[in-house]
């Protein structure tokens, strides 16, 4: 299970998508994001964020 806090997610979003994008998403993210959860993955997709993009920014491989 891959879980990020909102602060961790915003740090990754800044790195993957830039500071402006991270700032615009900050108010729409939950306090805890489970990247293995279908609901959280759908939410990210609705916000234009991909799970793969987050993993790439983290330097991880799927």
């Amino acid at each position: 299970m891959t879980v990020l806090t909102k602060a961790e997610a915003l740090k990754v979003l800044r790195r993957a998508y830039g500071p402006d994008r991270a700032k615009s998403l900050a108010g729409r993210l939950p306090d805890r994001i489970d990247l293995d959860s279908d609901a959280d993955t759908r939410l990210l997709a609705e916000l234009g964020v991909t799970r793969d993009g987050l993993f790439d920014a983290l330097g991880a491989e799927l």
Side-chain angles (χ1 to χ4, degrees):
M1 174 160 54
T2 305
V3 177
L4 300 173
T5 65
K6 184 176 183 174
E8 290 169 330
L10 288 171
K11 182 177 177 181
V12 173
L13 288 167
R14 277 191 292 279
R15 193 166 54 202
Y17 298 99
D20 292 337
R21 181 67 187 263
K23 185 176 179 180
S24 72
L25 296 175
R28 301 175 68 188
L29 294 174
D31 290 333
R32 181 182 166 275
I33 302 161
D34 182 349
L35 297 177
D36 296 321
S37 160
D38 289 337
D40 285 354
T41 300
R42 274 193 305 274
L43 170 65
L44 292 174
E46 289 171 11
L47 298 174
V49 176
T50 67
R51 181 179 184 263
D52 291 344
L54 291 177
F55 275 112
D56 287 345
L58 286 168
E61 293 184 17
L62 295 177

